[in-house]
Amino acid sequence: MKRILLILAGIFGLLLIAALAVPFFVPKSVYKTQIEKAATSALNRDVVLTGDVGISVFPRIAASVGGVTVANPEGFSSPNMIEAGELRGSVKWLPLLSRRVEIEELSFVDANVQLEKLADGRTNWDFGNPDAAETPEPASEGGNVNASIGKASLKNASLTYKDDATGKTYALKDLNLDASMKGFDKPLKANADGMFQDQAFDITLTLDTPDAIQTGKPATVDFTLDSKLAKANYDGTVTLGESPSLDGALSLSAPNLADLAAFADVDLPVNVAPLGAADMKGKVSGPFDNLLIQFDTLALKGSLL
């Protein structure tokens, strides 16, 4: 019995040494080629790695990719849809043995995403269905893999949306985001700051269970926005699906209603400039396209009031 245990221990040791050594003997160009090939096949777009690829397995499984571009289809204004300076990720070893993926870090640095809708209705985020793609079979009971993310971050990211049909362009710049999630059935917490249409903002978000959002069930959300144009908080539930809806408490404070309406590009039936500042608290409920707002308190301060 002792001899069998020694043999098994020796085999395990050799496997461990091999797992630690292989990344150092396999040329980085092999990883780079395989990643480009797999990503190009999955997205049905040309994916090119312009930087180095780094792989390590001790003390954790980690990978880094420097410089990633995802090409646009023909007919769009820019050659690339996505350009990222660096992608980094690391996963803990031991939880994998119990079918649990614990991601220590997932970071995107200097990512630039350009979304575009052409006048004929085509969009560059429609990746289509590659011929080689197969529909995954549903996981069997007991075969689920739990996952958690210790830290996910975006650093100096930007996103631009251009609609050629309407001639409008929306730009999100200098975005920094930090998020963490202990599991799909655990709360997700996130903080973000950046510039949207040249207006600075700060956001905090707590979502009780990401799993509820994915399954179309009501999920509890606490969302806070802070900017020069407005400060807002929503505390309630959000339900996504065929008809997304809200049901919760809303508070909003705006120093100038006219500036807020102009920024939101909302055409109002009356001139709100004389109303000036506004503070309101109440409840909001119903589907996104037909929301009902009930005010508990409403305070207006301007040249007329």
Side-chain angles (χ1 to χ4, degrees):
M1 183 66 178
K2 181 177 180 180
R3 185 177 181 183
I4 294 175
L5 292 175
L6 289 174
I7 293 174
L8 292 175
I11 293 174
F12 179 78
L14 289 174
L15 290 174
L16 181 60
I17 292 173
L20 294 174
V22 165
F24 299 101
F25 290 102
V26 177
K28 292 182 179 181
S29 60
V30 174
Y31 291 118
K32 186 175 181 179
T33 301
Q34 292 301 316
I35 292 173
E36 288 179 339
K37 183 178 179 180
T40 297
S41 176
L43 297 178
N44 203 24
R45 301 277 183 85
D46 288 336
V47 177
V48 178
L49 307 186
T50 59
D52 293 331
V53 175
I55 304 289
S56 65
V57 294
F58 187 82
R60 63 189 64 83
I61 303 173
S64 63
V65 179
V68 180
T69 63
V70 179
N72 256 328
E74 292 185 4
F76 288 83
S77 59
S78 60
N80 295 320
M81 173 187 172
I82 300 174
E83 298 177 355
E86 183 181 10
L87 281 72
R88 297 193 303 265
S90 61
V91 179
K92 294 181 180 179
W93 264 104
L94 291 179
L96 294 175
L97 301 178
S98 58
R99 298 184 63 80
R100 178 173 177 80
V101 180
E102 290 192 12
I103 300 173
E104 273 194 324
E105 179 187 13
L106 185 62
S107 299
F108 297 82
V109 181
D110 295 334
N112 179 18
V113 180
Q114 299 188 53
L115 304 179
E116 185 175 359
K117 182 179 180 180
L118 299 181
D120 61 8
R122 287 187 298 149
T123 60
N124 66 341
W125 62 85
D126 182 4
F127 292 98
N129 296 313
D131 296 335
E134 296 182 358
T135 303
E137 297 181 0
S140 59
E141 292 185 6
N144 294 331
V145 177
N146 295 320
S148 66
I149 301 177
K151 180 182 179 181
S153 63
L154 287 172
K155 301 298 182 186
N156 192 35
S158 63
L159 186 149
T160 303
Y161 172 69
K162 180 182 178 184
D163 190 336
D164 292 343
T166 62
K168 294 183 178 180
T169 299
Y170 301 93
L172 176 62
K173 301 178 181 178
D174 303 330
L175 175 63
N176 298 295
L177 180 145
D178 291 300
S180 63
M181 180 184 71
K182 299 300 182 182
F184 289 111
D185 58 345
K186 299 293 191 299
L188 180 150
K189 298 182 178 180
N191 297 281
D193 63 78
M195 300 281 290
F196 179 68
Q197 300 294 80
D198 297 324
Q199 290 290 336
F201 68 87
D202 286 277
I203 289 175
T204 60
L205 169 70
T206 300
L207 178 66
D208 66 344
T209 55
D211 184 61
I213 288 288
Q214 296 182 19
T215 56
K217 299 177 181 177
T220 302
V221 175
D222 188 350
F223 173 84
T224 300
L225 166 70
D226 189 357
S227 70
K228 290 184 177 180
L229 288 174
K231 295 182 179 180
N233 175 259
Y234 173 76
D235 187 359
T237 63
V238 59
T239 304
L240 298 183
E242 294 183 2
S243 181
S245 61
L246 298 176
D247 186 10
L250 173 69
S251 64
L252 174 67
S253 176
N256 191 300
L257 286 176
D259 290 345
L260 181 60
F263 177 79
D265 195 18
V266 176
D267 292 327
L268 299 175
V270 295
N271 180 18
V272 296
L275 297 180
D279 288 286
M280 56 191 75
K281 292 183 179 180
K283 298 178 181 178
V284 59
S285 60
F288 285 4
D289 58 355
N290 191 27
L291 287 174
L292 173 65
I293 301 178
Q294 297 174 301
F295 294 108
D296 293 331
T297 62
L298 173 62
L300 301 174
K301 182 180 181 181
S303 59
L304 295 181
L305 296 173

